[in-house]
Amino acid sequence: MAEIIQFNGAVLTGPDAEERGLWSVDGRLTFRRPAAEPDRFLEGWVLPGFVDAHCHIGLGPGGAVDEATAEEQARTDLTAGTLLARDAGSPADTRFLQGSRGAPLLIRAGRHVARTRRYLRGFAEEVEPDALVEAVRKQAREGDGWVKLVGDWIDRDAGDLAPSFPAAVVRDAVQAVHDEGARITAHCFAEETLDQMLDADIDCIEHATGLLPRHLPRFVEQDVPIVPTLINIATFPDIAAQADAKFPRYAAHMRALWERRAERVLEAFEAGVGIYAGTDAGSVIRHGRIGDEILALHHAGLPMTAALDAACWGARKWLGAEGVEEGSRADVVVCREDPRQIPETVRDLDHVVLGGRLVR
Ligand SMILES: [Zn+2]
C-alpha cells in the first residue's frame, strides 16, 4: 500500500487558482484530511506533474535505442518533473514502459511517418505519397491516439524546405487517421506547410516555425494548438552552418525562422492559439529539460502562469489527463519557491510524486 503524503505548501490547482491542504492517500489526491497520520510531509508549491508534449523516448541520435537506454531516458524525464509524455514518434516499441514506476505516463504516437529520404535516417516509416494513407492508418492502430507526420523537410533538388507530400494526399491521410478515431500532428518548419496542414484539418502542429500573422486566425478558428519546442529551435543556427556550402537557400531560410522564434510564439499566444511545452528530447536534445522549455516559453514573452499552463493544467486538459483534483492520480511536482515569482525554480524541483510514490 502506498504511503500517505501531506503537502504543506500552496497547491496551484489552475493558472489563477490556489488552495491549501492536500494529501496523497493510496496514490490518489484528496483535499480531505485522512484519519491516519501521514508518513511524510512535503513543503513547497504543488503543481500537477509537468507534461512534455513533444518527447521521443526510445529514440537516440542513430535511431532506435535498446530497452535499457529507453528506460534511462524515461527516468531522466520523470525526475525532471515530466509525469506525462506525449511521445511524438519513436522507432522503438516503448509499450514495456507503460505503467512502470520509473517512467512518465506515456501517450505514444507510434513511428514517425515521413517521405522517403526526407527525414533523419532510421527514425521514420518512410513512404511515397501513394502509401501514405495506409501508413498513417497502421500507426493510428498501433499508437495511443496520436499519429506523427513529418510535414516538411529539406528538398535537396529545390535546395530549400518544402512540404513532404502533395496537399490532396495529406488531406486523405488526416481523414484516415480521424476515421481510426485518432489525432494527427505534423512536424512543420516552413510557412507553406502550415497552409497545407490547416487545409487538411490537422489536429496539432509541432515546431510551427513558419507561423505567420496570416495563419493565426485559422489556428484559432480551427482550434489547432502548436508545440514550439523552443529549446530545439535554438539549434537552427548550427543546422544552417552545416548546410551553408551545399544548400545556401535552405540555410538562410533556417536562420530566418530562428530569428523570429520568440516573436512568433508571443504573436500566437496573444492571438489565442493554444501553446504546449515540448522539449523534442530524443536525438539532438537530451532528456530531462522540461523546465528549460517552460522557461524558454516565458522568455519568449509568455507570462509565467501561461508558460506553466503550457506544461501543467492546460496541457493535461488537452490530453485528457487529470490535474490536481479530488480523487485524481497523485502525479504532482513540488517547487521550492513559488514558480510564478521565481520561474527558475521549475528547473530544480524539490520533489516529484508519481502515483503517490516519491520519485525525487
Ligand atoms: Zn521531434
Side-chain angles (χ1 to χ4, degrees), residues 54 56 88 112 119 148 207 280:
H54 185 137
H56 303 277
H112 303 72
Y119 198 46
K148 169 70 175 297
H207 318 301
D280 210 357

Side-chain angles (χ1 to χ4, degrees), residues 12 45 298 304-305 308 337-345:
L12 308 184
W45 279 259
H298 178 48
M304 193 56 189
T305 47
L308 287 168
E337 328 236 26
D338 184 344
R340 297 165 300 183
Q341 308 299 328
I342 314 283
E344 288 70 26
T345 194

Side-chain angles (χ1 to χ4, degrees), residues 3-14:
E3 59 183 4
I4 298 178
I5 300 173
Q6 176 172 317
F7 298 95
N8 284 336
V11 183
L12 308 184
T13 53

Side-chain angles (χ1 to χ4, degrees), residues 78-301:
L78 182 66
T79 50
T82 293
L83 274 68
L84 174 64
R86 186 183 61 143
D87 194 297
S90 180
D93 186 345
T94 51
R95 274 174 272 211
F96 75 98
L97 286 170
Q98 291 183 317
S100 156
R101 286 183 194 175
L105 294 187
L106 201 53
I107 298 174
R108 294 165 37 261
R111 291 194 70 160
H112 303 72
V113 179
R115 179 80 180 262
T116 322
R117 289 183 298 279
R118 293 280 303 279
Y119 198 46
L120 298 160
R121 194 181 306 177
F123 281 30
E125 177 94 46
E126 296 187 359
V127 294
E128 281 301 288
D130 61 354
L132 182 64
V133 168
E134 264 326 293
V136 294
R137 262 189 206 284
K138 177 164 173 266
Q139 296 308 320
R141 287 172 190 156
E142 289 181 3
D144 303 324
W146 280 95
V147 172
K148 169 70 175 297
L149 177 67
V150 179
D152 60 20
W153 198 248
I154 184 173
D155 177 337
R156 288 176 180 81
D157 297 329
D160 198 356
L161 289 168
S164 306
F165 295 97
V169 177
V170 172
R171 221 162 25 235
D172 291 345
V174 171
Q175 186 60 52
V177 171
H178 290 169
D179 290 345
E180 295 289 333
R183 289 189 274 184
I184 177 165
T185 189
H187 157 118
C188 298
F189 283 168
E191 294 82 353
E192 59 177 313
T193 317
L194 296 178
D195 300 289
Q196 188 196 60
M197 292 297 160
L198 289 165
D199 288 345
D201 201 17
I202 196 84
D203 298 298
C204 180
I205 297 288
E206 310 302 309
H207 318 301
T209 45
L211 192 64
L212 295 172
R214 70 178 164 90
H215 293 122
L216 293 173
R218 294 193 73 191
F219 272 84
V220 175
E221 196 180 305
Q222 294 179 220
D223 199 14
V224 178
I226 60 170
V227 182
T229 65
L230 285 172
I231 59 171
N232 183 22
I233 304 315
T235 68
F236 276 22
D238 295 339
I239 299 172
Q242 285 168 24
D244 264 330
K246 248 176 130 179
F247 303 108
R249 257 180 73 200
Y250 166 75
H253 197 171
M254 293 295 277
R255 279 195 189 92
L257 294 174
W258 174 77
E259 271 158 16
R260 256 180 52 78
R261 64 203 179 283
E263 199 181 337
R264 175 174 55 242
V265 169
L266 187 56
E267 283 168 2
F269 172 70
E270 285 172 345
V273 177
I275 297 176
Y276 298 113
T279 62
D280 210 357
S283 49
V284 178
I285 306 300
R286 65 176 170 78
H287 285 265
R289 293 193 58 196
I290 188 65
D292 289 335
E293 182 65 18
I294 295 170
L295 291 175
L297 290 169
H298 178 48
H299 294 151

